Amino acid sequence: MSEATSNVSGDAIALKVAALRAEIGKVYIGPESVIEALLVALLARGHVLIEGVPGIAKTTLVKAFAQTLSCSFKRIQFTPDLLPSDITGTYVFDRKSDSFVLREGPIFAHVVLGDEINRAPAKTQSALLEAMQEQQVTIEGQTRPLPTPFLVLATQNPIEHEGVYPLPEAQVDRFLLKMRLNYPSFEQELQVLRTHAFERIELQPILSLEELLAWSDLAQRVNLEAELYEYIVSLVRYTRELTHVHVGASPRAALALMRCARARALLRGRDYVLPDDVKVLAQMVLAHRIILHTEAELGGHTPSAVVQAALDNTRYAKR
C-alpha cells in the first residue's frame, strides 16, 4: 500500500464499511449505494441534498447513519417561520453569571439533518449556507467554528409547490452530492414491513470520531493518475458545450468529483482511483449544478441526460 494507506489497511476499511452498512440495514431497507454516497460526502467533507417523496425513509436513513458514527446529531425541522437564530443559536442573559451566554443552536453538531429545507425563507437558508461553506456561524457579530467533521444532510420534497422556497442555484451548488430516493422494490417493501413490525431497533456505533477524521485525511491523499484529472475536466467541460445548457458544471464541480472519487476509492479499500469511481459518482455530483434553457426543459431535456451524454461521449484515454 502507498503512503495514503500506510497506517490503515484497505481490507480493514472495507470490513468497517461492510459492518456499517449491515448496521444501518437493520432499520433502512434500500440500495447500499445510498449509504456509500453518504460516506463519500463525509470523507470528502461535503454535504448532501436528498430528494424524494414523503414516506420513503429519508429521515430514517439519516438518523441511522448518524447513530453508527459515534457523532453528535441534531435535527432541524424547517418551516416558513424558522429564523436564522433558531439554527445558529443566540445569546441569552444568565442570572447566575450576570452575563450573556451563547445558547447554541442545532447547527452545532457533527451531523445535522435539515428536514424539508425548501420550506425555510431565504434569510434562514443563508444562515445555513455560511455554515455549509465556511464551517462556521456568525452570531451577533461573533464567529464561532463548527465541529469537525461537519455534515449537513438536507431533505426536500419535490412534489409540493405551495409554502416552499426553492433553493437558489448558489446554495444548491454548495451541496457536494444530490441524491434522489425512489420507492422501494416489492421485495424491499415487504422487508420494511417485517423489519418495523417489531419493537424499535437500537443501532450501535461502528466508526469512532478518530477513525472518521483519519479516513478523511487519507481520502485526500488517494492517488489520482494524470489521465483521470484530464477525464474529469473533460466531463465537466462537455456539460458547458451543449447549446441547450444555460449553465454547465463549474470548476468547483470538477474539484467535487475529484474529492468524491478519492473517497469512494478509499471506501473500497484502494489507494488509487479508477475511472469507474468517477463514472458512478458523476450523476450525483454534476446533475444538480446544471441549468438548462427554458425551451430545453419544455422540450424534455434534463440535467441527468446532459451528464449521461458527457459520460457517453467523453473518452478515458490510458497512456
Side-chain angles (χ1 to χ4, degrees), residues 47-103:
H47 310 284
V48 183
L49 182 60
I50 305 173
E51 188 175 85
V53 297
I56 57 174
K58 298 188 296 295
T59 303
T60 298
L61 168 65
V62 173
K63 290 175 68 176
F65 181 70
Q67 288 172 357
T68 61
L69 296 179
S70 303
C71 289
S72 58
F73 168 73
K74 294 290 180 63
R75 175 181 177 180
I76 306 172
Q77 183 63 53
F78 282 81
T79 58
D81 60 349
L82 194 71
L83 300 175
S85 59
D86 295 328
I87 295 176
T88 61
T90 187
Y91 283 92
V92 296
F93 186 74
D94 182 19
R95 292 179 180 271
K96 293 182 179 180
S97 62
D98 196 30
S99 62
F100 285 91
V101 296
L102 176 63
R103 180 181 292 169

Side-chain angles (χ1 to χ4, degrees), residues 14-187:
L15 286 172
K16 278 278 190 176
V17 171
L20 185 140
R21 285 173 171 168
E23 192 69 14
I24 295 176
K26 292 178 181 179
V27 296
Y28 173 75
I29 313 301
E32 290 187 349
S33 59
V34 171
I35 300 171
E36 181 179 66
L38 296 183
L39 277 171
V40 164
L42 184 63
L43 298 190
R45 300 176 183 177
H47 310 284
V48 183
L49 182 60
I50 305 173
E51 188 175 85
V53 297
I56 57 174
K58 298 188 296 295
T59 303
T60 298
L61 168 65
V62 173
K63 290 175 68 176
F65 181 70
Q67 288 172 357
T68 61
L69 296 179
S70 303
C71 289
S72 58
F73 168 73
K74 294 290 180 63
R75 175 181 177 180
I76 306 172
Q77 183 63 53
F78 282 81
T79 58
D81 60 349
L82 194 71
L83 300 175
S85 59
D86 295 328
I87 295 176
T88 61
T90 187
Y91 283 92
V92 296
F93 186 74
D94 182 19
R95 292 179 180 271
K96 293 182 179 180
S97 62
D98 196 30
S99 62
F100 285 91
V101 296
L102 176 63
R103 180 181 292 169
E104 293 183 346
I107 198 69
F108 287 90
H110 292 112
V111 179
V112 177
L113 167 60
D115 231 344
E116 297 188 281
I117 186 177
N118 53 336
R119 287 194 175 278
K123 190 173 183 180
T124 303
Q125 290 178 4
S126 67
L128 185 65
L129 177 61
E130 180 192 7
M132 292 169 55
Q133 183 67 16
E134 307 295 338
Q135 202 174 330
Q136 65 182 31
V137 293
T138 302
I139 305 171
E140 296 184 15
Q142 296 189 13
T143 300
R144 292 285 300 271
L146 294 171
T148 301
F150 175 66
L151 175 67
V152 173
L153 301 174
T155 70
Q156 69 174 4
N157 178 356
I159 63 173
E160 286 194 57
H161 301 288
E162 293 186 12
V164 299
Y165 302 82
L167 296 180
E169 284 79 7
Q171 186 161 344
V172 173
D173 189 50
R174 293 303 192 277
F175 286 98
L176 187 72
L177 301 174
K178 181 179 180 182
M179 296 192 300
R180 290 181 175 84
L181 298 188
N182 300 312
Y183 287 113
S185 66
F186 183 83
E187 291 75 16

Side-chain angles (χ1 to χ4, degrees), residues 273-296:
V273 175
L274 295 174
D276 281 350
D277 295 318
V278 177
K279 294 174 182 178
V280 166
L281 294 163
Q283 285 287 356
M284 287 188 287
V285 175
L286 302 181
H288 65 287
R289 306 170 192 269
I290 296 170
I291 303 173
L292 304 178
H293 288 292
T294 304
E295 301 80 17

